[in-house]
Amino acid sequence: MKIHSRCNLSCDHCYVYTSPDDRWRDEPRGMSPRIMEALAHRLTRYTARHRPPSVTVVLHGGEPLLAGVPAVSRLIGLLAAPARHTDLRLVVQTNGLLLDEAWLELFRAHDVRVGVSLDGDREANDRHRRHADGRSSHDAVVRALRLLRAPRYRHLYAGVLCTVDPRNDPLRVYRGLVRHRPPRIDLLLPHANREHPPPDHDPATTPYARWLLTVFDQWYGAPRRETRVRIFEDIMTMLLGGRGSSEGLGLSAPGFLVVGTGGSIERPDSLLSAYPGAVATGTHVLTHDFDQVVPLLAPSHRGLPPAVPAGSCRRCPVGRVCGGGLPAHRYHPMTGFDNPSVYCADLFMLITSIRERLARDLPTVTRSTG
């Protein structure tokens, strides 16, 4: 749920405000009471009909805390209705600048877990995550994390989200994140594609794989795990035959949809980085039930990326784990999404290297796994 469509930072790697799709300019800044009520009504109908074991609702943006405590409190109250039919799990993903005790008391009262975006130590974080006038955001985020991990709120701490930049020292970034004692770290590849590859990216040198493997060796080799790292856990789980939880790996279709501040129901918003309109489904919470939208998310639906690209990906020894990469990273205007990820070489090296490490440590894992 994009409850606010603007942000109080000007991150130059943001997939919303620097993407080819500038539809955010036409979105209401905040989600209105009418849209909140319609959204809660649609979710109540869906959960009453299907009785899913759990549903996770992420309060997102822009920067969701710009919506203000009263509006978010109202929305949380409306979500009590669908919570009668399922285990409704609430999460907020924030840049942390506005996170204070007033917010945390609201989240504590309703068991809303809090994820915070941070790209590492000060130098790494401020390479991209700055205010519009160039000021650092690091100290404000550190203050928020210090408050979040206090005993009164520690149980709400969901983790930190970090976008990888190979120019940053991987161990300094990792240690800069671990010092805030997050229960989980999400290391994300920046949104790029076949038309617009990452700056100075030479696939032959696999810079993202080498960066991630440096962190993996530190994390995996530690005598006591300091935190969970989702990309590593997902790769290991899928190498061992399980299912991952990430949108960017594996063969599972995305398990979520996005509702904009104006009420439009959309595909995963990473597709904003592909081309204008890639997220559009033509549906709206005022006129469509979620049951009408779910079929539009299936890989067979016209215009949606195929689950796995054709050609070499289907024959790749790690194809089941990689899944062709995040659909947004496969886009090219001439061929659509039917391409390997722009990070193909990096993903191949990352997955095969982790497979080799597991093969040395676990006798049930062989070189053919994948």
Side-chain angles (χ1 to χ4, degrees), residues 11-344:
C11 307
D12 60 16
H13 58 13
C14 179
Y15 64 89
V16 176
Y17 304 109
T18 63
S19 77
D21 193 326
D22 62 356
R23 61 196 294 124
W24 62 270
R25 297 179 184 276
D26 300 321
E27 285 287 294
R29 287 181 176 269
M31 187 175 280
S32 70
R34 182 186 183 208
I35 297 300
M36 288 183 184
E37 291 166 6
L39 198 162
H41 171 68
R42 298 296 178 185
L43 189 55
T44 301
R45 284 171 60 92
Y46 185 86
T47 55
R49 183 177 296 123
H50 297 283
R51 304 280 172 160
S54 66
V55 170
T56 298
V57 172
V58 182
L59 309 181
H60 211 275
E63 169 49 44
L65 302 193
L66 286 172
V69 170
V72 175
S73 178
R74 174 184 175 83
L75 176 59
I76 291 173
L78 291 169
L79 293 175
R84 293 196 297 265
H85 310 297
T86 185
D87 175 16
L88 192 71
R89 302 170 184 178
L90 299 178
V91 182
V92 62
Q93 183 63 42
T94 174
N95 62 31
L97 299 189
L98 298 176
L99 192 65
D100 58 17
E101 289 194 34
W103 277 112
L104 288 172
E105 284 299 315
L106 173 66
F107 297 152
R108 183 173 179 267
H110 298 282
D111 198 27
V112 181
R113 301 185 71 227
V114 182
V116 177
S117 300
L118 180 71
D119 283 352
D121 63 337
R122 179 189 297 276
E123 179 182 354
N125 186 73
D126 290 347
R127 186 183 295 277
H128 299 288
R129 300 184 59 78
R130 289 181 172 270
H131 291 272
D133 61 4
R135 286 180 297 120
S136 168
S137 67
H138 187 260
D139 288 349
V141 183
V142 169
R143 284 195 296 271
L145 288 169
R146 188 179 299 121
L147 183 61
L148 181 57
R149 67 175 189 264
R152 181 173 178 83
Y153 306 119
R154 171 75 194 187
H155 64 290
L156 303 177
Y157 193 0
V160 295
L161 182 153
C162 167
T163 300
V164 173
D165 188 325
R167 294 173 294 178
N168 295 328
D169 181 273
L171 293 183
R172 281 186 60 184
V173 168
Y174 179 66
R175 291 168 185 148
L177 297 174
V178 167
R179 68 183 286 260
H180 301 295
R181 291 180 284 166
R184 190 176 81 170
I185 295 172
D186 266 356
L187 298 174
L188 303 181
L189 296 172
H191 287 322
N193 55 47
R194 288 285 173 176
E195 181 184 19
H196 300 293
D200 303 318
H201 181 231
D202 180 0
T205 64
T206 56
Y208 290 90
R210 295 178 188 279
W211 195 99
L212 287 165
L213 285 168
T214 301
V215 177
F216 176 80
D217 288 341
Q218 173 72 26
W219 172 80
Y220 186 80
R224 178 174 172 271
R225 294 279 158 78
E226 300 161 301
T227 184
R228 304 180 66 184
V229 181
R230 182 162 71 155
I231 188 171
F232 301 149
E233 292 186 347
D234 276 355
I235 289 172
M236 292 191 295
T237 296
M238 287 187 284
L239 284 170
L240 295 170
R243 295 182 62 182
S245 62
S246 171
E247 177 193 5
L249 293 169
L251 300 179
S252 300
F256 65 95
L257 48 78
V258 176
V259 179
T261 53
S264 58
I265 309 174
E266 301 173 343
R267 299 178 180 126
D269 55 358
S270 59
L271 293 171
L272 290 169
S273 64
Y275 62 89
V279 300
T281 64
T283 60
H284 195 281
V285 293
L286 293 177
T287 54
H288 293 81
D289 273 337
F290 289 139
D291 275 319
Q292 296 172 273
V293 183
V294 170
L296 305 181
L297 305 178
S300 59
H301 186 263
R302 184 178 179 182
L304 192 64
V308 183
S312 59
C313 285
R314 298 186 188 275
R315 300 186 297 272
C316 179
V318 299
R320 188 185 65 81
V321 177
C322 169
L326 187 73
H329 297 167
R330 299 176 351 210
Y331 178 73
H332 189 279
M334 298 297 293
T335 50
F337 296 94
D338 202 10
N339 311 286
S341 169
V342 70
Y343 297 108
C344 176

